């Protein structure tokens, strides 16, 4: 299994100490996370895109460019790029630029986004999100893969003989499809024969497994080999300690603070409390053995080759502790137990037309 660390740049007062970071301090904190992730052998670092409090991650391309300048090996992910509201021309230009500045380390994860506050900001309705995403992604692919593009659609002005600059460094830039709530996301991924990244954050395992199963079924429908599907999975909060009891005690204030935010309440968690989430949900809270057991259980259901984790909300000292614990106590075991070829080389799903994978 390969591992990614990611951040949505959630900036809340610390639930234990009450300490509040300035915006500048939070940006510096995320840069430190990324460099530490590379030092400890994580395969990738991701920045999500949100447009409202308590998140500061409205410009992932800019943040990842700063990270690219401070690192040399780690893959750079967008977790996710909210393509349903963005201009594909601007996306094509910004991320091709980042692709060059990082010497080809970019991986784009696209999606419609989790937070409905971005729709009025960018002039579409929530009801249009899936149609908008499909149209904008079709155009983005053309802009990266073709020159002299002429195009007409619903969600931006027409294009006439346009070649965006710079051209991507990677041919092509790898694209994953973020999957959280709807078969429309897995359908789009299957249509293009491209990998999916399951959110695996808010709901019981069965909901996400159904979406991943749908993805594999639709891959076969579109002529791709489902046995060679590439699946990534997120995870909800991480907190490791010597015992599960200690981890639960130390993490509880953070869990309660986040679940009191408007952003968390929008997701309408089906779990009644932290213990319910630990038993039946995706949080990774406990001893190393307990967390490894849970990750392997989810891998059995999903078949994922990549796992992403997040330490947002913790104090900086705890972030460093948790990243080190995960790299030392969890990663070596799962690398042995779950083979992964993602990011080792370019992969293809055999089909009528070859499709490049990360």
């Amino acid at each position: 299994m390969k591992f990614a660390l990611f951040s949505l740049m959630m900036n809340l007062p610390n639930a234990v100490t009450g300490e509040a970071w300035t915006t500048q301090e939070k940006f510096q904190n995320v840069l430190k996370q990324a460099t530490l992730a590379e030092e400890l052998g994580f395969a990738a670092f991701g920045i999500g895109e949100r447009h409202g409090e308590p998140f500061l991650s409205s410009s992932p391309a800019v943040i990842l460019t700063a990270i690219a300048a401070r690192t040399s090996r780690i893959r750079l992910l967008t977790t996710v790029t909210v393509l349903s509201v963005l201009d594909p021309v601007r996306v094509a230009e910004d991320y091709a630029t980042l692709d060059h500045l990082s010497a080809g380390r970019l991986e784009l994860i696209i999606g419609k986004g989790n937070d409905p506050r971005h729709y009025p900001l960018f002039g579409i309705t929530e009801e249009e999100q899936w149609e908008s995403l499909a149209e904008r992604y079709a155009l983005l692919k053309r802009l990266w893969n073709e020159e002299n593009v002429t195009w007409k659609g619903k969600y931006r002005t027409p294009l006439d003989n346009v070649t965006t600059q710079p051209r991507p460094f990677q041919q092509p830039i790898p694209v994953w499809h973020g999957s959280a709530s709807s078969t429309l996301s897995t359908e789009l991924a299957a249509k293009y024969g491209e990998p999916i990244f399951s959110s695996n954050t808010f709901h019981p395992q069965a909901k996400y497994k159904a979406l991943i199963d749908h993805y594999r079924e639709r891959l076969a429908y579109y002529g791709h080999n489902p046995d060679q599907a590439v699946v990534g999975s997120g995870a909800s909060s991480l907190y490791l300690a010597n015992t599960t009891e200690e981890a639960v005690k130390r993490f509880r204030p953070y869990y309660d603070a986040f679940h009191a935010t408007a952003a968390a309440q929008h997701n309408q968690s089906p779990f009644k409390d932290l213990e319910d989430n630990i038993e039946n949900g995706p949080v990774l809270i406990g001893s190393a053995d307990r967390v490894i057991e849970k990750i392997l259980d989810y891998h059995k259901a999903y078949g994922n080759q990549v796992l992403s984790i997040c330490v947002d909300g913790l104090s900086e000292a705890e972030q460093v502790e948790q990243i080190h614990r995960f790299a030392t106590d969890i990663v070596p075991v799962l690398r042995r137990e779950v083979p992964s070829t993602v990011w080792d080389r370019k992969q293809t799903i055999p089909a009528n037309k070859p499709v490049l994978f990360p």
Side-chain angles (χ1 to χ4, degrees):
M1 189 174 284
K2 300 289 173 55
F3 301 93
L5 183 65
F6 78 97
S7 176
L8 290 169
M9 297 192 64
M10 180 175 67
N11 198 25
L12 292 169
N14 186 277
V16 176
T17 67
E19 177 187 11
W21 285 342
T22 66
T23 297
Q24 171 58 205
E25 287 170 338
K26 182 59 184 177
F27 275 106
Q28 294 303 318
N29 168 251
V30 167
L31 296 179
K32 292 175 187 176
Q33 281 190 36
T35 55
L36 179 61
E38 179 167 275
E39 290 169 10
L40 294 178
F42 282 76
F45 188 87
I47 294 290
E49 180 178 342
R50 293 290 180 91
H51 296 274
E53 295 179 334
F55 307 102
L56 301 175
S57 54
S58 57
S59 300
V62 178
I63 301 165
L64 288 171
T65 299
I67 291 170
R70 290 163 172 79
T71 58
S72 60
R73 301 181 306 278
I74 203 164
R75 301 296 293 177
L76 305 174
L77 309 181
T78 63
T79 54
V80 301
T81 293
V82 186
L83 188 58
S84 58
V85 300
L86 302 178
D87 178 5
V89 173
R90 183 79 265 179
V91 172
E93 294 170 340
D94 284 349
Y95 283 107
T97 300
L98 170 55
D99 196 37
H100 278 276
L101 292 173
S102 66
R105 290 186 280 141
L106 173 65
E107 309 258 337
L108 207 67
I109 305 179
I110 65 165
K112 56 86 177 171
N114 174 259
D115 190 335
R117 292 177 293 179
H118 51 237
Y119 296 113
L121 292 178
F122 294 95
I124 75 166
T125 66
E126 193 167 356
E127 291 71 29
E128 296 175 292
Q129 60 187 337
W130 294 111
E131 179 186 13
S132 173
L133 177 63
E135 178 184 292
R136 292 173 200 252
Y137 184 49
L139 175 56
L140 177 63
K141 285 186 73 69
R142 289 194 62 192
L143 292 170
W144 273 346
N145 295 328
E146 303 174 27
E147 299 182 357
N148 305 314
V149 173
T150 296
W151 175 91
K152 185 176 182 180
K154 180 178 178 181
Y155 293 101
R156 62 148 293 132
T157 54
L159 302 176
D160 183 21
N161 202 35
V162 169
T163 301
T164 56
Q165 296 294 339
R167 309 305 295 153
F169 180 81
Q170 298 177 90
Q171 296 295 331
I173 293 173
V175 176
W176 302 65
H177 294 250
S179 171
S181 60
S182 172
T183 55
L184 293 172
S185 61
T186 48
E187 184 76 18
L188 191 66
K191 175 183 175 181
Y192 287 107
E194 293 169 338
I196 63 167
F197 217 108
S198 173
S199 165
N200 192 46
T201 304
F202 302 110
H203 301 286
Q205 183 186 95
K207 179 179 178 65
Y208 299 112
K209 183 180 186 304
L211 289 169
I212 294 168
D213 290 346
H214 175 264
Y215 165 65
R216 289 192 169 95
E217 291 167 5
R218 298 306 287 173
L219 277 174
Y221 173 83
Y222 286 109
H224 306 295
N225 183 352
D227 293 335
Q228 296 190 21
V230 175
V231 176
S233 173
S236 195
S237 303
L238 170 75
Y239 208 102
L240 295 162
N242 293 335
T243 67
T244 295
E245 292 74 20
E246 179 189 356
V248 171
K249 180 180 179 180
R250 292 176 63 182
F251 183 69
R252 189 182 303 281
Y254 295 112
Y255 183 85
D256 292 342
F258 175 67
H259 282 268
T261 66
Q265 290 172 6
H266 162 71
N267 293 302
Q268 299 179 335
S269 173
F271 306 111
K272 64 178 186 243
D273 53 27
L274 176 56
E275 283 76 10
D276 187 23
N277 201 321
I278 291 171
E279 185 66 28
N280 300 300
V283 294
L284 300 177
I285 312 298
S287 66
D289 289 344
R290 177 76 178 269
V291 168
I292 288 168
E293 180 183 13
K294 188 168 193 176
I295 292 172
L296 289 174
D297 177 72
Y298 272 70
H299 168 72
K300 184 178 179 180
Y302 298 166
N304 57 300
Q305 294 192 49
V306 177
L307 177 71
S308 65
I309 62 163
C310 180
V311 292
D312 274 357
L314 306 180
S315 69
E316 189 160 272
E318 285 175 300
Q319 289 177 5
V320 171
E321 175 197 4
Q322 291 303 313
I323 295 168
H324 271 279
R325 277 183 177 266
F326 191 85
T328 302
D329 299 338
I330 306 296
V331 168
V333 176
L334 293 174
R335 279 180 177 161
R336 291 194 305 268
E337 295 290 327
V338 183
S340 174
T341 58
V342 174
W343 299 318
D344 288 345
R345 63 183 185 276
K346 293 294 181 182
Q347 299 174 311
T348 60
I349 284 183
N352 295 332
K353 296 180 181 178
V355 182
L356 285 174
F357 268 52

